[in-house]
Amino acid sequence: MGAAGPIGWTVRPNTTANSVIIGRVGTVGAVNLVKSDCWASDNTIVATAGPSLHPAYMYYLLLSARLPELASKTAQPLLTATAVGNQRYPLPDLAEQRRIADFLDAETTRIDNLVAKRRRMRDLLTLKRERFIESALGLERGNSAHRLVPLKYMVESVSVGIVITPAKWYVDSGGIPALRGLNVKPGSINSIDLTHISAEGHAEHIKSRLQAGDVVVVRTGQAGAAAVVPSEFNGANCIDLIIIRPGFKVAPKYLEYVLNSAHARAQISEHAVGSIQAHFNVGAMKQIPLPALPKDEQKETVARLDQAVDKIDRLQGKLAKQERLLAEHRQALITAAVTGQFVVSTASGRNVTEGIAV
């Protein structure tokens, strides 16, 4: 094989059919083959094949090139046309390029179809999960089988975390953990990018201190996402989250299930404000309708839900893992084909997904 470098393609701002558009900023290194004439934004690089380079083969070459690694190592990574154009790649004759491109078209389509099927299965499982939860809670299709009362009458208190200039209390090391919206997902709390505040800030904001068993709810962004505070965050603080202290009438996990249900999400969406990011306030949270079940029945409901939901979540996890394996195999296949690690003419027709857990 020869090598294609700057002379193999040209890089220019206008986009024509069979060009390749590459993400320059934002989605750095994302590669797409253009089938018809179109306009490309300033945030992209456009590569057009020269006479010795088949457009589809160029597309697969660029997919195999790990272009994000060529971007500048700055806060806002930037990929330049020079960095892309100066790379050297294997360049067989045009006939072999066509064979490789045709082979990869067929095999990547097969893999993409397998991935799409697994995504559809995960979507169906998500729908099944939601319907089971609503049915168990007596909230199926929004028609409650139980008496509904405003949340404020069922819980001990509803308050809010630090909302006024919280950044003034941030510290780089040490300090008190402070949960934010990005740490809260429906049914779970993570410590990714966990913020800490000073002891002084913690002392000044006693009302926003958390206790294990509280339920925190996101106010801004993914408004309504709710999770029970685990013991590891007992005594932590929080920023711009709604804090619900369940009290003696409500089981925390039961409240978490109710608030993350489609029924509650619809209520929260109706009361959320903000054109860019949904924003939900304490007053609206207090009015969210809650099934008024005795606490022992709540705990029984939670036990049934935990068992059923765990099975669905494990199935979804297996499907997601299969999707990742297929995506990795797709990338490895492209790289192997364009770098000559196997002869495409002898590979055609074989099951290239063999060995992948699908």
Side-chain angles (χ1 to χ4, degrees):
M1 288 190 178
I7 61 170
W9 56 63
T10 58
V11 178
R12 60 189 188 184
N14 59 311
T15 308
T16 57
N18 295 319
S19 295
V20 172
I21 293 179
I22 305 162
R24 189 173 70 90
V25 295
T27 53
V28 174
V31 178
N32 291 283
L33 180 63
V34 177
K35 297 294 186 180
S36 58
D37 292 355
C38 67
W39 173 86
S41 80
D42 292 338
N43 291 334
T44 63
I45 297 167
V46 179
T48 303
S52 62
L53 193 58
H54 190 275
Y57 180 78
M58 177 182 68
Y59 165 67
Y60 287 116
L61 271 179
L62 291 169
L63 278 178
S64 72
R66 301 185 183 280
L67 295 180
E69 297 178 6
L70 302 178
S72 61
K73 310 301 181 186
T74 57
Q76 179 70 23
L78 174 68
L79 182 65
T80 66
T82 300
V84 175
N86 283 342
Q87 298 301 300
R88 305 188 72 80
Y89 304 93
L91 186 61
D93 61 47
L94 276 170
E96 182 63 14
Q97 291 179 37
R98 290 191 188 95
R99 280 193 292 272
I100 292 172
D102 289 345
F103 169 80
L104 289 175
D105 282 346
E107 298 304 333
T108 57
T109 297
R110 183 186 304 178
I111 293 171
D112 291 345
N113 287 338
L114 288 171
V115 170
K117 287 178 181 179
R118 276 143 187 79
R119 286 178 181 165
R120 285 196 294 273
M121 290 172 68
R122 285 203 293 127
D123 289 342
L124 289 172
L125 284 170
T126 297
L127 183 60
K128 179 179 179 179
R129 187 184 193 274
E130 290 185 351
R131 287 181 175 173
F132 184 85
I133 290 172
E134 292 219 323
S135 177
L137 295 172
L139 297 172
E140 199 168 21
R141 297 181 181 178
N143 298 316
S144 177
H146 308 294
R147 182 171 64 92
L148 297 177
V149 299
L151 180 142
K152 65 181 179 179
Y153 296 121
M154 292 286 290
V155 302
E156 180 181 319
S157 64
V158 182
S159 56
V160 67
I162 304 170
V163 293
I164 300 175
T165 60
K168 69 181 287 188
W169 306 111
Y170 290 175
V171 292
D172 293 330
S173 60
I176 311 299
L179 296 178
R180 296 178 293 168
L182 59 83
N183 301 119
V184 181
K185 304 300 179 187
S188 66
I189 292 177
N190 64 67
S191 57
I192 298 173
D193 293 326
L194 183 64
T195 290
H196 291 73
I197 63 172
S198 66
E200 181 185 2
H202 186 57
E204 188 162 324
H205 295 88
I206 296 174
K207 291 183 178 180
S208 56
R209 291 183 186 179
L210 301 173
Q211 294 180 9
D214 286 347
V215 176
V216 288
V217 185
V218 177
R219 294 181 71 220
T220 305
Q222 193 179 3
V228 177
V229 175
S231 58
E232 64 187 283
F233 289 110
N234 186 54
N237 218 299
C238 69
I239 296 166
D240 200 30
L241 294 175
I242 293 175
I243 308 161
I244 304 173
R245 192 142 293 160
F248 66 91
K249 291 183 181 179
V250 180
K253 189 67 176 180
Y254 176 79
L255 180 57
E256 177 189 279
Y257 271 123
V258 172
L259 293 179
N260 288 321
S261 69
H263 174 81
R265 288 204 309 271
Q267 299 283 328
I268 290 169
S269 177
E270 181 180 342
H271 292 93
V273 297
S275 57
I276 299 177
Q277 282 194 319
H279 185 83
F280 194 63
N281 61 41
V282 171
M285 175 56 71
K286 289 181 177 180
Q287 299 302 321
I288 292 295
L290 197 69
L293 281 180
K295 196 169 184 179
D296 57 346
E297 290 186 33
Q298 295 176 28
K299 291 180 178 179
E300 290 173 2
T301 300
V302 167
R304 292 198 306 273
L305 283 170
D306 282 347
Q307 185 176 18
V309 167
D310 179 65
K311 290 180 180 179
I312 295 173
D313 289 347
R314 281 190 279 111
L315 282 173
Q316 288 186 312
K318 289 180 180 179
L319 290 169
K321 181 179 179 180
Q322 290 174 8
E323 288 178 36
R324 291 193 299 271
L325 288 172
L326 285 166
E328 291 170 5
H329 180 70
R330 186 185 195 275
Q331 184 62 42
L333 180 68
I334 291 170
T335 300
V338 300
T339 57
Q341 295 178 35
F342 62 84
V343 179
V344 165
S345 57
T346 61
S348 298
R350 70 189 181 111
N351 181 10
V352 297
T353 60
E354 184 178 356
I356 297 295
V358 297

